[in-house]
Amino acid sequence: MERVPVEWQWMFAGLLIGITILMASAMVLLPTILTRVLRLRRDNAQKFQAYECGITPTGGARVRFSIKFYLVAMLFILFDIEAIFLYPWAVVHRWLGVFGLIEMGIFVLILLVGYVYIWKRGAFQWD
């Protein structure tokens, strides 16, 4: 059995990568080009109007939201991400021993202090 030179192996690998990139590009570009070429174009004002459950829209699209919406979203993300840190600890808590238990207790205590702080500041009240 004859051994294939290393240069040919590298060229074959490069050829496969090139074909993969070419096929991926075709999969992205071909549908986009075909839909632009073959589509039926019947634009009118009604198609560009905002759709709101069959009701004619009233007022502008730029409505000011209360800062409470953003505050609740940020608090949710904050506490949700911190809760994610509890999962790896739960998996390896026996391996960490007493040190890990104390460390996680401090972490939960910091979470609790933050939660009480925002509660006292009125972040959960919808006035």
Side-chain angles (χ1 to χ4, degrees), residues 52 58-65:
E52 295 185 13
T58 57
R62 305 283 184 229
V63 179
R64 291 183 154 238
F65 286 101

Side-chain angles (χ1 to χ4, degrees), residues 66-125:
S66 171
I67 194 72
K68 293 284 187 182
F69 289 107
Y70 302 108
L71 182 64
V72 168
M74 292 295 287
L75 291 174
F76 172 76
I77 290 170
L78 178 75
F79 284 106
D80 189 48
I81 298 244
E82 288 176 350
I84 288 172
F85 286 121
L86 294 173
Y87 288 110
W89 173 78
V91 171
V92 296
H93 73 281
R94 289 191 180 147
W95 180 73
L96 293 174
V98 176
F99 173 74
L101 182 63
I102 293 170
E103 186 177 11
M104 195 49 65
I106 292 170
F107 178 74
V108 171
L109 184 68
I110 291 171
L111 272 178
L112 186 63
V113 167
Y115 187 78
V116 169
Y117 174 76
I118 60 172
W119 186 7
K120 294 292 182 184
R121 293 283 303 209
F124 298 129
Q125 304 224 341

Side-chain angles (χ1 to χ4, degrees), residues 11-27:
M11 287 177 58
F12 183 68
L15 179 68
L16 289 178
I17 291 172
I19 291 172
T20 303
I21 291 172
L22 185 69
M23 288 179 66
S25 299
M27 287 179 171

Side-chain angles (χ1 to χ4, degrees), residues 5-72:
V6 175
E7 295 85 16
W8 286 99
Q9 292 176 359
W10 282 103
M11 287 177 58
F12 183 68
L15 179 68
L16 289 178
I17 291 172
I19 291 172
T20 303
I21 291 172
L22 185 69
M23 288 179 66
S25 299
M27 287 179 171
V28 170
L29 296 175
L30 194 63
T32 306
I33 293 169
L34 284 176
T35 54
R36 288 191 185 253
V37 170
L38 300 177
R39 73 178 173 175
L40 296 175
R41 189 143 176 103
R42 295 189 185 121
D43 294 335
N44 57 29
Q46 191 172 16
K47 280 189 178 182
F48 293 119
Q49 185 178 7
Y51 180 76
E52 295 185 13
C53 303
I55 301 171
T56 305
T58 57
R62 305 283 184 229
V63 179
R64 291 183 154 238
F65 286 101
S66 171
I67 194 72
K68 293 284 187 182
F69 289 107
Y70 302 108
L71 182 64
V72 168

